[in-house]
Amino acid sequence: MAGPARCRIRTAVALGGLVAAAVLTGAPTAAAATPNTLYVAPNGAGTACSITAPCGLTSGRSRADAMARSAAATYGDIDIDLLGGTYRLSSTLRLGPQDSGQRGHTIVFRAAPGQDPVLSGAQKITGWSLSDPTDDIYRAAVPKGSDSAQLFVDGARAQRARSALNPAGFSLSGSSFVTSDPSYASYTNTSQIQIVDDNDWKQLRCPLRSITKTSSGGSSLNVDPTCYADNSTDVPNVGFPFNGSGLPALNGISWIENAYQLLTRPGQFYLDSTAGYLYYIPLPGQSMATADVELPTVQDLVDIAGTPGHLAPVLYNAPGASYAGSWSASTNRPYGDLGNAVNYTATNGDSASFSFTGTGVQVLSETAPDEGGIDVYVDGTKTETVSAYSAVRAAQQPIVDISGLSQGTHTVKLVKTGGQYLVVNGFTVIPAPVAPVHDIQFTGITFANTTWTAPDTSGYIDNQAGVLWDPSNDTPTRIPAAVQVHRGDDITFTDDVIEHTGGTGIDFADGTQNSTITDSTITDTSGGGVSLGEVDDYYLTDPHLMTTGDTVSQDTITHVGQDYQDAVGIWAGFTKNAVITHNEIGYTPYSGMSLGWGWGWASDCTLQAEQGLSNPCRHGTNYAGGNQITDNYIHNVMGVLHDGGPIYTNGGQGGGSGVSAQPCQQTSVLAGNVVADGNDTNNMLYQDEGSSCWDTYDNLTEFGGADWIGMWTPTINSLDIHDNYSDNPNYFDNGTGDTFNQATIVTDGAWPAAARAIIAGAGDAATQAPPAGHIDDDSLAITYSGAWSASGFRGDGDYQDGVHYTQANGASATLTFTGTGITYYTETNSDEGTIAVSVDGTSEGTVNADTPTRIAQQPLYSISGLPAGQHTITVTKQSGSYLLVDGFTITP
């Protein structure tokens, strides 16, 4: 359902990067060149960067830098026009503060007019020969040491060799999966093989250490013991704000992956990195003599990074810390301190010092009724007096926040002057000046073909929604992105395509501000689609370091999580004033959108106790709030995992700390969204643990979910839920201090005018006025009247793997379209019957969907030669057990 701007005819392969591409119809001419336009080409050379002598991409960037920084510069925006073709990157294109726009102008990387540039992280593989005629396996030589977990053939993702789903006969013995099947013992390159377990809301992966024969003649798949412990016996469970229960654990096999012996089905591949061979079984009709085979070797295509980069606190006993007086350590504390440990003193005059190299530092402490005054010295000079007193105990509070120092070595000193205790929990060093990379734009560019190989060696230690645990230290980390922005400001992506990635599509991380992703397509990602913010910077008080003011709008985000099925379409951690609006998200294995982090961290101890959590509790604050989640269309989600939903929220918003401590200093908004076709969905709007300070209104839910909305526990607080619409009357409200109003419940698709207005305003414009071409059954342009349901992730060969269906005679589906013809697609089967068709209110008779066996994607009715303009088709069930709608094709 992409709009016309995303349907550009791709010419990258045909052009092959030839400079001659510049003279194709629509390309700029030399006469059109202006002093602020540079031209680059895939095989560009030199430094002229002109239309007749384009340079390479990095040379173009360097020329733009020099132009922008010239003392005599009079340029406005500097355009780097990319001519068509594939730019094969062997390493990441890195942009720093020195590459920023200057004097309020922008550096623009854009597709040259009429051109279609592709930044690719893959090498093209040729020279295929048939190596196993029995199983139709082809082989091509690749450089030894080539490492990739992904492969893309003729623009489609190939599946890494894997077993059938849920292989039977395995039992868990220690860290080994044991079976009576002896065949596994003959598998080769066993350390490359992975065990994958989809369990509730997690996907858990571990490599094998070995495969051995059992005494009874079977096979023992022996999981790497460190990875197994991280994913099973010693699952990280550090508690709020980093995770909830820590569980579930790896205790079963959803499939076995990455062995040559598992290469059995068309569309699968296996890479033998050591021997230097790539193996592939072609799809029906695919010729390896002409197939475009892309083996990605680059993880990040573009990395846009300002300073200071990612900030991570260290504990009170880190190098550089010293203490004078009577100090004691307190470990295994239950209050939520970093590392669950602090150093403390009860003696006035005692001091804590920390020497560091950088431009600033934050000192983390607890604030509590038993704490008091502190004198602060920087490099021997007293700069301020602060107080750690508060009526409610809160952990990981930056009681000292120093910035703007000269780059170099400094010492901060805290001297206790009042209260019962001075507590030091940790330090966060600001290692460099806050210097964002800024004023850079990418437009009309495709970013494609990346990989991510870390899980092959260290496993995939899942927390939730693409947030992982670093196996070396149990700190949170995230799936890397093909396009990464760290400490960015006014970075813009518009009308771009991000596809075929080994990780997430695009990530606005580490305090990126005022940046935008708009009118773009993100699809076929191994990880998530778009990520905003972090999970470990909740304590920040300096607005310059926060992730704030970013916009994700009018994007189409589909088929994420193709490898790592816990990933989501749009994920936002701790963010402030984000605007996520008018996006379409669909066909996800887990949630469509996940917003917030921290679980009950910001909820006060009374609410945590009511939930049954330990008391004293893990409690602190975060800076999230003022986020706007509006007018999105989210559909066909939760196709694989469980305990998620189309829109899922987690943790506190609003800058407050629970209902008893002035919550909702800044309310976030969840409004105007249409969520539909939830498969394994318990709540269509899922406001999970700790969610607070949301104004939830004018949303519409249909076709799925046990409940239209759910708030299951008392740490969920201070929500205002009103004026919503649903076809499901069920809800679950066990929150605290919420204002809950039941949705207007509608049956048989008879939405009132206000609900119709929500439908008309949700998602990208293309969902409301579909262009010529094929549209799926879940397009908002289709009106379903009567008792309808949705069924997704069917595995029956339907378009996008799902249908809408009804069992009620007289139920109908109507589509108004602009064109000269239309074709209606359905499944046919023995349990289906006759369907009445009308076009523009005139009967076209009936068609029959009754066939002896199930056949998917059947064009059961077609009409052509209509006058150019707007028309309406309606299909109505007359007989049989079912009527199915799989989609329509509009003829222009």
Side-chain angles (χ1 to χ4, degrees):
M1 287 171 279
R6 302 198 195 94
C7 297
R8 303 186 303 269
I9 298 173
R10 302 247 171 252
T11 58
V13 174
L15 288 169
L18 296 176
V19 175
V23 299
L24 291 178
T25 300
T29 65
T34 57
N36 62 337
T37 301
L38 305 171
Y39 295 93
V40 302
N43 62 346
T47 59
C49 302
S50 66
I51 186 63
T52 56
C55 57
L57 185 59
T58 56
S59 295
R61 178 200 60 190
S62 298
R63 279 288 310 276
D65 292 349
M67 291 168 63
R69 295 181 176 278
S70 169
T74 58
Y75 301 110
D77 294 348
I78 299 176
D79 298 330
I80 302 175
D81 279 19
L82 280 69
L83 300 177
T86 299
Y87 295 72
R88 295 193 180 276
L89 305 184
S90 59
S91 60
T92 304
L93 175 66
R94 301 189 184 278
L95 304 175
Q98 71 280 2
D99 301 301
S100 299
Q102 302 296 317
R103 302 175 180 85
H105 298 294
T106 302
I107 305 294
V108 182
F109 294 81
R110 68 180 187 179
Q115 304 288 288
D116 198 1
V118 179
L119 302 191
S120 172
Q123 53 183 308
K124 186 179 178 68
I125 306 301
T126 58
W128 293 89
S129 61
L130 184 63
S131 65
D132 183 343
T134 301
D135 291 324
D136 199 29
I137 298 174
Y138 283 74
R139 186 178 77 171
V142 298
K144 291 183 178 181
S146 297
D147 193 9
S148 181
Q150 284 76 37
L151 184 74
F152 304 99
V153 182
D154 290 334
R157 178 180 295 263
Q159 183 185 79
R160 191 150 69 160
R162 64 169 61 173
S163 69
L165 290 176
N166 305 310
F170 282 96
S171 61
L172 183 60
S173 176
S175 60
S176 299
F177 289 93
V178 179
T179 175
S180 60
D181 186 342
S183 65
Y184 294 99
S186 65
Y187 282 18
T188 52
N189 293 336
T190 55
S191 63
Q192 297 181 5
I193 300 172
Q194 291 187 34
I195 296 295
V196 183
D197 183 16
D198 283 335
N199 194 341
D200 284 339
W201 64 89
K202 289 188 178 185
Q203 183 180 90
L204 309 154
R205 288 173 175 255
C206 279
L208 295 183
R209 174 67 59 86
S210 62
I211 301 178
T212 55
K213 291 183 179 180
T214 64
S215 58
S216 60
S219 304
S220 177
L221 280 60
N222 308 312
V223 179
D224 176 87
T226 300
C227 183
Y228 179 79
D230 287 338
N231 260 334
S232 187
T233 58
D234 191 22
V235 177
N237 184 17
V238 299
F240 305 157
F242 289 142
N243 73 338
S245 66
L247 301 175
L250 187 154
N251 53 27
I253 299 178
S254 295
W255 71 83
I256 306 165
E257 181 173 304
N258 200 30
Y260 176 84
Q261 290 76 14
L262 296 172
L263 189 60
T264 57
R265 296 189 295 278
Q268 288 187 329
F269 79 97
Y270 174 73
L271 173 63
D272 188 336
S273 177
T274 302
Y277 287 109
L278 177 63
Y279 299 86
Y280 178 72
I281 301 178
L283 294 168
Q286 202 166 47
S287 169
M288 298 313 295
T290 59
D292 175 25
V293 181
E294 303 286 340
L295 180 69
T297 57
V298 175
Q299 174 179 291
D300 314 322
L301 292 172
V302 179
D303 187 276
I304 303 170
T307 59
H310 190 73
L311 301 178
V314 295
L315 284 175
Y316 66 89
N317 56 357
S322 62
Y323 298 87
S326 302
W327 289 81
S328 300
S330 176
T331 58
N332 298 316
R333 288 173 69 80
Y335 301 117
D337 303 290
L338 181 73
N340 300 319
V342 301
N343 215 19
Y344 70 94
T345 181
T347 304
N348 286 346
D350 284 0
S351 65
S353 298
F354 181 62
S355 296
F356 63 94
T357 300
T359 63
V361 68
Q362 296 172 332
V363 182
L364 300 184
S365 178
E366 291 177 5
T367 57
D370 56 6
E371 300 185 34
I374 305 163
D375 285 342
V376 181
Y377 296 78
V378 178
D379 298 334
T381 300
K382 182 179 176 180
T383 58
E384 61 180 330
T385 296
V386 299
S387 176
Y389 171 84
S390 67
V392 175
R393 183 181 300 276
Q396 299 191 49
Q397 300 297 294
I399 57 171
V400 175
D401 193 344
I402 298 167
S403 61
L405 301 176
S406 60
Q407 181 74 54
T409 300
H410 303 277
T411 299
V412 60
K413 180 179 179 180
L414 281 66
V415 179
K416 182 179 182 301
T417 62
Q420 187 173 352
Y421 297 104
L422 167 59
V423 172
V424 176
N425 180 211
F427 309 94
T428 301
V429 175
I430 314 300
V434 179
V437 57
H438 58 88
D439 295 292
I440 296 176
Q441 179 176 335
F442 289 83
T443 183
I445 297 172
T446 294
F447 305 86
N449 303 333
T450 64
T451 191
W452 180 44
T453 59
D456 288 354
T457 54
S458 57
Y460 188 84
I461 317 300
D462 197 4
N463 186 351
Q464 181 174 310
V467 179
L468 315 175
W469 295 108
D470 184 329
S472 67
N473 55 19
D474 285 352
T475 57
T477 186
R478 294 189 288 114
I479 299 172
V483 179
Q484 299 199 145
V485 182
H486 310 266
R487 300 284 170 209
D489 191 355
D490 197 13
I491 307 298
T492 300
F493 294 84
T494 182
D495 193 28
D496 296 310
V497 175
I498 303 174
E499 61 185 5
H500 310 325
T501 71
T504 292
I506 185 167
D507 188 1
F508 282 0
D510 292 325
T512 291
Q513 301 184 353
N514 310 311
S515 296
T516 300
I517 308 165
T518 187
D519 198 30
S520 295
T521 297
I522 301 166
T523 188
D524 188 33
T525 65
S526 290
V530 174
S531 294
L532 296 179
E534 300 293 336
V535 298
D536 56 357
D537 65 354
Y538 42 89
Y539 56 84
L540 292 176
T541 57
D542 183 350
H544 297 94
L545 297 174
M546 298 174 180
T547 301
T548 181
D550 299 316
T551 298
V552 183
S553 68
Q554 294 181 298
D555 301 303
T556 300
I557 303 170
T558 60
H559 299 99
V560 303
Q562 295 300 290
D563 284 324
Y564 310 108
Q565 294 177 327
D566 63 309
V568 303
I570 296 178
W571 177 90
F574 294 108
T575 62
K576 194 176 185 71
N577 299 326
V579 176
I580 303 175
T581 186
H582 289 288
N583 302 286
E584 181 190 353
I585 302 173
Y587 317 111
T588 69
Y590 186 48
S591 295
M593 189 184 296
S594 180
L595 310 155
W597 207 251
W599 288 266
W601 172 251
S603 302
D604 69 21
C605 295
T606 301
L607 302 187
Q608 292 192 30
E610 289 180 5
Q611 183 172 310
L613 302 172
S614 61
N615 195 14
C617 68
R618 302 182 65 88
H619 171 67
T621 57
N622 72 66
Y623 69 83
N627 297 304
Q628 308 285 313
I629 316 302
T630 60
D631 304 309
N632 301 284
Y633 176 42
I634 304 174
H635 59 94
N636 265 296
V637 302
M638 300 299 299
V640 177
L641 298 181
H642 300 267
D643 201 4
I647 297 180
Y648 171 95
T649 67
N650 173 348
Q653 299 278 312
S657 56
V659 292
S660 65
Q662 296 181 336
C664 303
Q665 298 169 26
Q666 192 176 24
T667 299
S668 292
V669 173
L670 189 66
N673 303 286
V674 174
V675 298
D677 309 336
N679 294 285
D680 298 317
T681 298
N682 47 349
N683 301 302
M684 297 295 278
L685 299 177
Y686 192 163
Q687 307 222 244
D688 197 13
E689 190 171 1
S691 294
S692 66
C693 303
W694 283 100
D695 189 7
T696 302
Y697 66 94
D698 280 353
N699 301 288
L700 185 149
T701 81
E702 63 177 342
F703 300 130
D707 299 309
W708 74 266
I709 193 169
M711 296 76 64
W712 70 276
T713 187
T715 58
I716 302 163
N717 68 87
S718 307
L719 309 181
D720 188 3
I721 301 168
H722 59 99
D723 297 303
N724 297 285
Y725 299 85
S726 182
D727 61 0
N728 178 6
N730 298 323
Y731 65 91
F732 186 23
D733 180 17
N734 197 31
T736 303
D738 297 334
T739 300
F740 176 80
N741 294 276
Q742 169 67 311
T744 297
I745 305 303
V746 172
T747 58
D748 295 340
W751 301 106
R756 288 284 177 200
I758 294 171
I759 294 172
D764 197 343
T767 64
Q768 309 303 329
H774 197 79
I775 65 169
D776 200 8
D777 58 285
D778 52 15
S779 169
L780 288 180
I782 303 173
T783 300
Y784 291 98
S785 299
W788 287 83
S789 300
S791 178
F793 297 85
R794 291 161 56 83
D796 290 327
D798 308 295
Y799 181 72
Q800 303 288 20
D801 207 17
V803 297
H804 277 64
Y805 68 93
T806 181
Q807 294 179 277
N809 288 344
S812 63
T814 299
L815 171 66
T816 297
F817 63 96
T818 300
T820 63
I822 194 161
T823 300
Y824 158 61
Y825 287 84
T826 184
E827 281 183 10
T828 61
N829 200 7
S830 58
D831 56 5
E832 301 180 37
T834 56
I835 304 165
V837 181
S838 68
V839 175
D840 295 336
T842 300
S843 173
E844 294 290 319
T846 62
V847 291
N848 196 339
D850 182 3
T851 56
T853 59
R854 184 186 305 276
I855 309 174
Q857 296 195 50
Q858 291 301 290
L860 203 60
Y861 171 82
S862 184
I863 189 172
S864 61
L866 298 173
Q870 190 174 89
H871 303 278
T872 299
I873 184 173
T874 299
V875 294
T876 304
K877 182 178 183 298
Q878 287 193 331
S879 67
S881 298
Y882 295 96
L883 162 64
L884 277 63
V885 173
D886 192 21
F888 297 87
T889 296
I890 301 168
T891 304

